[in-house]
């Protein structure tokens, strides 16, 4: 399975802080926002990942992450000249996807929960159709929401419904089989000229091959698209890391734990940041084994 992180857009909801930098490069407590979706794909076992962003922002992502080889993964980059909807990612990355299935992660979503790696690895093992992830919210009218039957099959999708039948919001993590590229090519743009991800999901829904995995109690899903949400996400990460003594979305540790790199490689990566708590954490867990 290939991976895509969509890190485009203008970040207008958090202006003026994004006037000079991509939103996905803003800090969520102690690390750049893009570390969080990248960690999700790495935990899923996906090691060939393309990052999509605006042309003027791509050099900054390359400076931050490079080609991924120090983490034992492969990173490539693609430009999105103007925001054209989430489903545009499949057209931009069609060559990257090739004949494989694909996972799309939004660059401003944070996921965390015990056992999440196992959930991801099971979900990505063999994707037939599409697999979505849902999370209960108290204001479902602000989201696309999904309704499932007793077997977890998706039976209805509503986009920002006035009277929601469920509170299960569809999160910014999507798994698709290879048909998604042709489906995206066949979409009619919305009134805003965008290719909507909901329209992609509805095609799979009509085929009867859409599934939704609920991330319920014990899981956190945070969309960092506003100033308040960005602050809340940082506070969430800060509190958990201080109380538990572990780092959320620590790419170097994940690369080591997943077997992408060795323990000594992990230590060397941490030593590059030895003057920061982040670097000292990586060195300490590497030495402890």
């Amino acid at each position: 399975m290939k991976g895509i992180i969509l890190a485009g857009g203008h970040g207008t909801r958090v202006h003026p802080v994004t006037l000079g930098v991509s939103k996905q490069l803003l800090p969520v407590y102690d690390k750049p926002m893009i570390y969080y979706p990248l960690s999700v794909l790495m935990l899923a076992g996906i090691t060939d990942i393309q990052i999509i962003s605006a042309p003027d922002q791509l050099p900054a992502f390359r400076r931050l992450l490079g080609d991924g080889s120090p983490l034992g993964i492969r990173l490539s980059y693609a430009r999105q000249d103007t925001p054209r909807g989430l489903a545009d990612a499949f057209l931009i990355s069609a060559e990257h996807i090739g004949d494989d299935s694909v996972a799309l992660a939004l660059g401003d979503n944070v996921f965390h929960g015990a056992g999440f790696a196992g959930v991801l690895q099971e979900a990505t093992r063999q994707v037939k159709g599409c697999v979505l992830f849902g999370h209960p919210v108290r204001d479902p009218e602000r989201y696309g929401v999904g309704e499932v039957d007793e077997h977890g099959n998706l039976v209805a999708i509503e986009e920002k419904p006035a009277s929601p039948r469920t509170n299960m919001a569809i999160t910014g993590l999507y798994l698709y089989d290879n048909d998604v590229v042709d489906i995206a090519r066949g979409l009619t743009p919305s009134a805003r000229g965008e290719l909507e991800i909901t329209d992609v999901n509805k095609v799979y829904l009509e085929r009867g091959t859409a599934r939704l995995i609920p991330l319920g109690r014990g899981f956190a899903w945070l969309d960092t698209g506003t100033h308040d949400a960005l602050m809340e996400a940082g506070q969430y990460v800060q509190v958990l890391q201080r109380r538990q003594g572990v780092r959320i979305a620590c790419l170097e540790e994940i690369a080591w734990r997943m077997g992408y790199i060795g323990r000594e490689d992990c230590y060397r990566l941490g030593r590059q940041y030895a003057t920061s708590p982040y670097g000292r954490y990586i060195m300490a867990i590497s030495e402890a084994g």
Side-chain angles (χ1 to χ4, degrees):
M1 173 173 275
K2 300 291 178 58
I4 301 172
I5 299 176
L6 186 55
H10 300 302
T12 55
R13 290 188 295 166
V14 286
H15 276 175
V17 294
T18 49
L19 290 176
V21 65
S22 169
K23 177 176 66 174
Q24 290 81 13
L25 293 173
L26 295 176
V28 176
Y29 187 50
D30 61 343
K31 59 192 74 72
M33 187 186 297
I34 199 168
Y35 273 40
Y36 295 86
L38 181 54
S39 73
V40 168
L41 297 183
M42 290 173 64
L43 286 169
I46 299 170
T47 57
D48 194 348
I49 299 163
Q50 187 160 82
I51 296 171
I52 299 174
S53 191
D56 62 329
Q57 299 295 341
L58 285 175
F61 285 105
R62 286 194 178 98
R63 283 196 301 272
L64 174 67
L65 298 168
D67 64 1
S69 57
L71 297 172
I73 63 176
R74 180 178 182 272
L75 294 178
S76 58
Y77 301 87
R79 57 188 286 164
Q80 185 182 48
D81 295 320
T82 186
R84 290 185 294 268
L86 303 187
D88 186 46
F90 304 117
L91 304 186
I92 294 171
S93 295
E95 185 176 345
H96 167 69
I97 296 168
D99 297 326
D100 290 327
S101 54
V102 61
L104 171 64
L106 302 189
D108 60 358
N109 278 214
V110 175
F111 294 86
H112 180 255
F116 192 35
V119 172
L120 291 170
Q121 291 162 25
E122 177 63 27
T124 57
R125 190 160 289 129
Q126 190 172 14
V127 176
K128 295 180 179 179
C130 81
V131 179
L132 310 177
F133 296 85
H135 194 277
V137 295
R138 66 171 181 271
D139 48 356
E141 66 278 358
R142 294 181 53 236
Y143 302 90
V145 295
E147 186 177 352
V148 298
D149 62 19
E150 64 274 15
H151 303 294
N153 298 311
L154 199 61
V155 297
I157 299 174
E158 296 180 285
E159 187 65 28
K160 298 181 180 178
S163 302
R165 295 199 300 266
T166 172
N167 70 336
M168 189 64 67
I170 296 173
T171 70
L173 177 62
Y174 315 85
L175 311 180
Y176 298 100
D177 63 18
N178 193 254
D179 287 352
V180 73
V181 177
D182 286 334
I183 291 172
R185 287 195 181 110
L187 292 181
T188 300
S190 68
R192 297 183 298 174
E194 296 185 352
L195 301 179
E196 303 289 353
I197 199 74
T198 297
D199 293 337
V200 172
N201 296 335
K202 285 182 176 178
V203 172
Y204 284 104
L205 179 63
E206 291 167 0
R207 294 180 177 182
T209 57
R211 187 161 64 96
L212 186 142
I213 297 175
L215 302 175
R217 184 172 296 180
F219 282 91
W221 167 56
L222 305 168
D223 180 347
T224 58
T226 68
H227 296 103
D228 287 343
L230 183 61
M231 181 68 71
E232 289 167 2
Q235 291 171 338
Y236 174 85
V237 173
Q238 179 191 41
V239 169
L240 280 186
Q241 290 187 169
R242 282 187 174 180
R243 292 187 177 181
Q244 298 181 355
V246 297
R247 299 267 165 171
I248 297 171
C250 178
L251 301 183
E252 295 81 1
E253 180 179 12
I254 291 170
W256 170 43
R257 304 287 189 194
M258 292 293 294
Y260 305 151
I261 61 175
R263 183 173 64 83
E264 292 182 357
D265 300 316
C266 185
Y267 181 86
R268 282 195 293 269
L269 290 175
R271 194 167 57 194
Q272 296 177 4
Y273 317 122
T275 58
S276 74
Y278 183 84
R280 291 195 292 273
Y281 168 81
I282 295 169
M283 295 166 65
I285 58 109
S286 301
E287 287 182 317

